[in-house]
Amino acid sequence: MSAPDLILDDHFHDHCGVFGVFGHPEAANLVYLGLYALQHRGQESAGIVSSDGTELQVHRAMGEVEEIFQQPGVLAKLPGSLAIGHTRYSTAGDKALLNAQPIVIDCNKGKVALGHNGNLTNAAEWRRKLEHRGSIFQTNSDTEVIVHLLARSQTRNLSGALGDALNQLEGAYSLLVLTTDELYAVRDPRGFRPLVLGKLSTPGGYAAWLIASETCAFDLLNAQYVREIAPGEMLRISKCGIESIHFAPEKPHQQCIFEHVYFSRPDSIIFGRSVNQSREMLSRLLAREHPVEADIVVPVPDSGVPAAVGYALESKIPFRMGLIRNHYIGRTFIEPSQAIRNFGVKLKLNPVRSLIEGQRVVLVDDSIVRGTTSRKIVRMVRDAGAKEVHVRISCPPTISPCYYGVDTPTREELIASSNSPEDICKFLGADSLGYLSLSSLKQAVVDTEGRFCTSCYTGVYPTDLVQLEVRGSNSNGKQEASVTMEREPGSGEGPVVVHRES
Ligand code: SF4
């Protein structure tokens, strides 16, 4: 049985995590720990690049952060007081080690390493143009386009050349760039993905600067959270201090609302707000919007736990851990030859019959993507003796894919793209189904000014022109179609039109 079949993880998948250190004698060790705290943002590969002031040293490998950097001698080969790291779940390019980051180049701007969280929506178009002009690509990752545009910029200083390169690109990027003596942290003008600045005292009494995707990485190091990198801001950190450069014209902010629903850790502060506060609020609002007479509230662990806690608090229905998750699932598994009903989902979850039997259950999760796993879980809860099963989802129906750095199935695979909540309820075999409304989701993250991207719930995309080719395979192992998306001329903020080329 393949890993995707086995793990049955019917979620949008996180993209990448980045962590950087400037001015600490143990920079690579700190990056290792930072990546460890950001492991939930990508588990396929990881890498660290360090600088001792003259040379860049790199180590990248497939696997999780601990297994890569606990190998004897690996961190010792990454000396210096500057380092950046990256943990990856591929969103563009295939999963090979070739695409692991940070990418390191030696070009006319010197030795440079890049770690990128996000997805460039016009990367395929730029790649074609650059190849036509003679550029030779080493990877099929969209990040390499930045490298080639950087090398081609006529601007001699790196901050200017980076600005030149990034102003030609569209989409999502929270980017770390390391040279032998400087660290840059850059966030795209719409601010899709998070990026934060922190500070840590060094043994010498100086402050080291830290950059991370999420603040939970600072907590592990006892570092202080200073602030967000603003959308459209480039921080240049050198021995002269920190310089803030606004490298791009302002654009309406489009921070990923799904970071608050699911991706980010609840102990992080994302886009200036506690993720835990958002999750509690959205599940309280869910309980107000979709009340039901029931005996217990049961989360689908682990991701549904915060939402179920909020639902239980608001509804005053007792919270019970009626499903237990096995955290030790390996990457492959041999199914017994005699078929076991719901074998895959049972490997991951098991119901506690003594809690569920005879009860009216509110089953809470944070999203439904394809619906197939949710259906198996509903059946499992019924098989454990539940009298009724009422499914509650702490976000709106997910109707459209993400093109901004998140691994999503195709539109056709998203159950809510072509089915009403009533149809989905029937498919799940539930007694009732309730999704949080978009207005309540915005209320939960305090989005009074429309600062958040909600495209996967609306099908309306914020970028004026989106062109991308998804190469390789999607998370189902199926070959992805090449997709070209354009906004209809003169349609302003209206929906984009999707053209598919097989
Ligand atoms: Fe986040 Fe959805 Fe927007 Fe992607 S489309 S950036 S997942 S809100």
Side-chain angles (χ1 to χ4, degrees):
M1 187 185 281
S2 69
D5 290 342
L6 171 72
I7 291 167
L8 287 161
D9 195 357
D10 192 24
H11 281 102
F12 276 16
H13 273 284
D14 227 324
H15 19 73
C16 307
V18 292
F19 194 86
V21 174
F22 183 94
H24 195 287
E26 289 191 79
N29 278 339
L30 295 186
V31 170
Y32 161 58
L33 292 170
L35 292 182
Y36 193 78
L38 298 173
Q39 183 75 82
H40 60 288
R41 298 187 73 88
Q43 301 88 33
E44 287 182 0
S45 65
I48 296 177
V49 177
S50 72
S51 169
D52 59 5
T54 50
E55 282 298 327
L56 297 185
Q57 304 294 339
V58 57
H59 186 81
R60 289 180 300 242
M62 299 302 287
E64 294 185 4
V65 174
E66 187 185 6
E67 60 186 298
I68 297 169
F69 292 103
Q70 281 288 9
Q71 299 286 332
V74 168
L75 284 168
K77 289 182 194 148
L78 297 166
S81 59
L82 287 72
I84 62 170
H86 186 271
T87 178
R88 181 165 194 267
Y89 185 98
S90 66
T91 51
D94 63 27
K95 296 175 185 175
L97 180 57
L98 197 63
N99 287 324
Q101 294 192 21
I103 291 176
V104 183
I105 53 155
D106 194 349
C107 69
N108 55 2
K109 307 292 183 302
K111 292 174 182 135
V112 181
L114 281 94
H116 171 206
N117 173 200
N119 201 28
L120 303 172
T121 49
N122 63 347
E125 183 192 354
W126 265 111
R127 188 184 174 107
R128 270 194 299 272
K129 277 191 213 165
L130 288 164
E131 282 176 338
H132 191 67
R133 293 176 198 166
S135 294
I136 296 168
F137 280 73
Q138 306 293 320
T139 71
N140 55 17
S141 149
D142 60 336
T143 310
E144 200 184 341
V145 172
I146 305 174
V147 171
H148 286 273
L149 290 174
L150 180 69
R152 281 174 173 266
S153 167
Q154 300 298 312
T155 308
R156 292 181 72 86
N157 65 66
L158 189 64
S159 55
L162 254 179
D164 285 350
L166 296 173
N167 275 315
Q168 299 176 81
L169 294 167
E170 186 60 272
Y173 50 86
S174 281
L175 193 67
L176 292 186
V177 180
L178 185 74
T179 68
T180 53
D181 57 359
E182 291 177 335
L183 170 62
Y184 292 81
V186 197
R187 203 161 156 223
D188 69 73
R190 292 187 174 85
F192 283 103
R193 311 254 71 91
L195 198 63
V196 286
L197 174 70
K199 208 158 83 169
L200 178 68
S201 299
T202 65
Y206 298 101
W209 293 107
L210 311 179
I211 307 282
S213 295
E214 289 183 39
T215 58
C216 64
F218 298 156
D219 297 341
L220 177 64
L221 303 174
N222 268 339
Q224 184 192 337
Y225 166 50
V226 177
R227 68 171 176 89
E228 263 196 295
I229 316 298
E233 182 180 19
M234 177 188 301
L235 280 189
R236 175 173 172 262
I237 310 176
S238 68
K239 60 179 189 298
C240 302
I242 292 195
E243 186 185 356
S244 169
I245 302 162
H246 287 270
F247 69 96
E250 280 213 13
K251 291 184 178 159
H253 294 180
Q254 292 290 330
Q255 302 172 134
C256 173
I257 208 163
F258 217 78
E259 293 277 356
H260 276 272
V261 173
Y262 170 67
F263 292 143
S264 294
R265 268 178 39 172
D267 49 340
S268 284
I269 297 167
I270 294 291
F271 310 137
R273 178 171 170 79
S274 150
V275 174
N276 186 59
Q277 262 184 315
S278 293
R279 288 202 187 147
E280 181 173 331
M281 183 50 81
L282 56 87
S283 50
R284 282 182 179 272
L285 293 172
L286 176 67
R288 283 181 217 161
E289 282 187 341
H290 297 286
V292 63
E293 296 240 337
D295 303 308
I296 54 173
V297 175
V298 172
V300 176
D302 291 326
S303 60
V305 172
V309 169
Y311 193 101
L313 285 171
E314 187 66 22
S315 65
K316 311 243 177 334
I317 300 170
F319 173 93
R320 294 284 182 267
M321 284 301 289
L323 291 168
I324 301 301
R325 180 173 171 185
N326 183 349
H327 288 265
Y328 305 101
I329 295 178
R331 284 170 194 265
T332 55
F333 225 92
I334 299 160
E335 185 167 3
S337 53
Q338 194 177 354
I340 295 175
R341 182 159 128 126
N342 291 331
F343 177 74
V345 80
K346 277 182 181 160
L347 278 171
K348 187 178 172 187
L349 294 175
N350 199 32
V352 184
R353 180 173 276 274
S354 61
L355 289 176
I356 288 175
E357 195 161 25
Q359 303 294 309
R360 295 169 298 169
V361 174
V362 185
L363 187 65
V364 183
D365 205 350
D366 54 18
S367 55
I368 298 177
V369 177
R370 297 177 185 83
T372 44
T373 301
S374 305
R375 177 182 157 112
K376 287 175 183 164
I377 295 169
V378 169
R379 194 180 298 158
M380 175 186 274
V381 172
R382 282 205 193 282
D383 287 350
K387 231 167 36 185
E388 294 171 18
V389 183
H390 302 276
V391 176
R392 296 293 179 268
I393 303 297
S394 62
C395 73
T398 310
I399 62 165
S400 223
C402 175
Y403 298 103
Y404 306 116
V406 176
D407 181 60
T408 54
T410 61
R411 188 182 302 264
E412 293 70 31
E413 290 172 300
L414 294 169
I415 189 167
S417 70
S418 53
N419 292 284
S420 66
E422 293 72 31
D423 292 339
I424 297 170
C425 183
K426 270 188 216 144
F427 175 78
L428 299 183
D431 293 285
S432 71
L433 169 65
Y435 284 96
L436 186 69
S437 69
L438 187 57
S439 60
S440 288
L441 176 55
K442 288 181 176 178
Q443 186 185 335
V445 299
V446 198
D447 186 20
T448 49
E449 295 156 21
R451 293 177 299 124
F452 281 84
C453 174
T454 55
S455 298
C456 47
Y457 306 123
T458 61
V460 178
Y461 292 88
T463 45
D464 280 341
L465 179 69
V466 179
Q467 286 193 322
L468 71 162
E469 276 181 358
V470 186
R471 298 182 179 200
S473 56
N474 65 18
S475 50
N476 258 355
K478 273 172 38 186
Q479 195 68 25
E480 287 259 337
S482 154
V483 180
T484 307
M485 301 179 60
E486 290 169 20
R487 194 178 295 286
E488 279 188 283
S491 65
E493 287 298 298
V496 291
V497 182
V498 179
H499 310 285
R500 288 191 177 274
E501 305 150 20
S502 61

